[in-house]
Amino acid sequence: MNRMDVEELLRRHAVDGARLDPAPPETGDRLTDDTEVRARFRADAWRPCCVCGIDYRTSRVIDFPGYGPRWVDLCRDHSLAVAKPALPTMPTTVEGAFEDIREIAAKLGLTMRPVSQEEWLEMGRRARQRRDQ
């Protein structure tokens, strides 16, 4: 998924501002560390991503033209598509992050491989057994 700003993401997917929940008045893009956003997360166990409809992971307030401040709830993938990297050299996609991890693993002489759900659960079970001994 290509990186873009939130407004472009909403335009590309023709998100209707009238369908978004009204948000507390304030101009600009506010991310998940705001008090109102934390309260929104606690208020509802589930909300759909306003772009694709799957579970949301982040919320922000955007001044939506013609509608004022609106909540923009985004799933993981759409949230990553509009995330601003903390450092200029940080990867901006999941694929980029995995490429960095692969490079570091290779330098350390490690190999990466997929782990099935069953194997992951078994590793957790073994770790709990070791802890409880």
Side-chain angles (χ1 to χ4, degrees):
M1 183 174 297
N2 296 331
R3 258 190 40 72
M4 64 194 88
D5 63 20
V6 178
E7 290 79 5
E8 182 179 346
L9 176 72
L10 299 176
R11 267 191 314 276
R12 279 188 185 186
H13 294 278
V15 174
D16 181 6
R19 295 183 58 219
L20 302 177
D21 292 339
E26 183 175 304
T27 310
D29 185 4
R30 295 192 322 231
L31 301 175
T32 54
D33 56 359
D34 288 336
T35 305
E36 293 92 353
V37 176
R38 285 194 303 270
R40 183 169 173 82
F41 272 103
R42 285 191 298 270
D44 290 309
W46 183 86
R47 274 198 177 77
C49 171
C50 68
V51 174
C52 67
I54 66 172
D55 288 355
Y56 85 113
R57 294 290 183 260
T58 63
S59 288
R60 59 186 74 211
V61 175
I62 298 294
D63 260 337
F64 209 98
Y67 299 100
R70 296 291 172 155
W71 285 108
V72 175
D73 300 315
L74 299 173
C75 67
R76 181 190 65 100
D77 288 347
H78 288 116
S79 186
L80 288 173
V82 298
K84 296 174 182 128
L87 299 171
T89 59
M90 287 185 65
T92 58
T93 64
V94 174
E95 293 81 10
F98 277 122
E99 188 55 41
D100 284 359
I101 293 168
R102 282 186 199 95
E103 183 180 320
I104 292 167
K107 286 179 183 177
L108 295 172
L110 304 172
T111 57
M112 291 178 51
R113 65 177 179 80
V115 176
S116 70
Q117 173 92 18
E118 294 78 20
E119 186 178 359
W120 179 257
L121 294 173
E122 179 62 21
M123 288 188 306
R125 187 187 66 73
R126 288 181 186 166
R128 282 189 301 279
Q129 282 179 336
R130 285 192 302 274
R131 182 194 66 210
D132 294 340
Q133 290 178 351

